[in-house]
């Protein structure tokens, strides 16, 4: 710009966009089943990641001398599978303010298949500190394998309940829940293989 020339016109400052109401979130009232097979290699990898090298998890010879007779998976590894199932259902990370209380009911052994299940049991509309919907959920992680029968076996599914949990999921208001289809809660071996 040469001296004496007028300054070019400045664009008008951008106006903030009007606040849009949050889009309605639609979720099924029953969480999808998530399946994972636990092998000794998976248990060993979790031990490396966590630093928990308890011989009950990583030393098959030592574990044979225990009441379990073989290695067992780390409890938090199974819990992470359950947590991931919730994230899959939500389509993203656990929202701030959400909670889960879990009880470790039975061990998970190498070569067990873990299956998660869950359902919304209650809904509460919150107004403070900001409007939100609280979904109360019952969650379970079941193990299927050679030791499927135990005190924690669920008669309806044939799996050992290894984790029982209650969760409170905090979401924006206006969450819509859909009812489940009449799905088979205990899929065939063909469906199991396809899901892995």
């Amino acid at each position: 710009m040469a001296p004496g020339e007028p300054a070019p016109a400045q664009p008008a400052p951008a106006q903030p966009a009007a606040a849009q109401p949050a889009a309605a979130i639609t979720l099924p009232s029953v969480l999808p089943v998530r399946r994972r097979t636990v092998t000794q290699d998976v248990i060993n990898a979790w031990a490396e990641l966590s630093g928990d090298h308890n011989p009950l998890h990583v030393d098959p010879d030592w574990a044979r001398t225990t009441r379990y007779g073989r290695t067992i998976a780390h409890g938090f590894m199974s819990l992470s599978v359950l947590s991931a199932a919730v994230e899959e259902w939500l389509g993203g990370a656990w929202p701030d303010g959400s909670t889960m209380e879990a009880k470790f009911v039975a061990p998970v052994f190498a070569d067990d298949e873990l299956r998660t299940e869950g359902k919304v049991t209650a809904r509460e509309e919150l107004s403070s500190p900001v409007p939100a919907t609280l979904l109360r959920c019952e969650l379970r992680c079941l193990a299927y394998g050679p030791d499927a029968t135990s005190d924690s076996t669920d008669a309806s599914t044939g799996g050992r309940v290894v984790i029982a949990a209650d969760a409170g999921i905090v979401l924006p208001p206006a969450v819509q829940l859909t009812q489940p289809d009449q799905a088979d809660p205990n899929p065939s071996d063909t469906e199991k293989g396809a899901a892995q």
Side-chain angles (χ1 to χ4, degrees):
M1 177 170 78
E5 281 187 32
Q10 299 292 322
Q15 297 296 319
Q20 298 293 321
I25 297 172
T26 302
L27 293 171
S29 60
V30 174
L31 282 69
V33 173
R34 184 178 179 91
R35 294 176 177 86
R36 293 293 178 261
T37 299
V38 177
T39 64
Q40 188 61 51
D41 287 342
V42 169
I43 295 169
N44 293 344
W46 187 268
E48 285 301 314
L49 175 69
S50 67
D52 181 353
H53 295 279
N54 183 322
L56 185 56
H57 303 306
V58 298
D59 185 341
D61 291 332
W62 186 87
R64 271 192 280 284
T65 68
T66 70
R67 67 183 176 132
Y68 299 111
R70 56 191 167 136
T71 58
I72 64 171
H74 302 76
F76 282 102
M77 182 182 69
S78 303
L79 185 61
S80 71
V81 172
L82 191 56
S83 178
V86 173
E87 288 183 350
E88 183 179 319
W89 173 64
L90 292 171
W94 281 68
D96 287 345
S98 297
T99 62
M100 180 171 29
E101 292 183 20
K103 179 178 180 184
F104 297 92
V105 179
V108 174
F109 301 107
D111 301 320
D112 276 350
E113 179 188 66
L114 295 180
R115 292 187 207 165
T116 62
E117 60 180 41
K119 64 182 177 182
V120 176
T121 57
R123 172 193 181 121
E124 182 180 342
E125 299 303 325
L126 307 175
S127 59
S128 179
V130 295
T133 298
L134 174 65
L135 299 179
R136 302 247 182 235
C137 303
E138 287 180 1
L139 308 170
R140 297 191 318 170
C141 188
L142 296 102
Y144 296 81
D147 294 331
T149 57
S150 75
D151 291 342
S152 65
T153 300
D154 179 298
S156 67
T157 65
R160 285 187 328 278
V161 178
V162 294
I163 298 175
D166 293 308
I169 310 294
V170 179
L171 296 169
V175 171
Q176 302 295 318
L177 294 174
T178 60
Q179 295 304 310
D181 294 333
Q182 296 299 322
D184 181 0
N186 200 6
S188 69
D189 289 338
T190 303
E191 290 169 315
K192 286 189 287 187
Q196 289 183 354

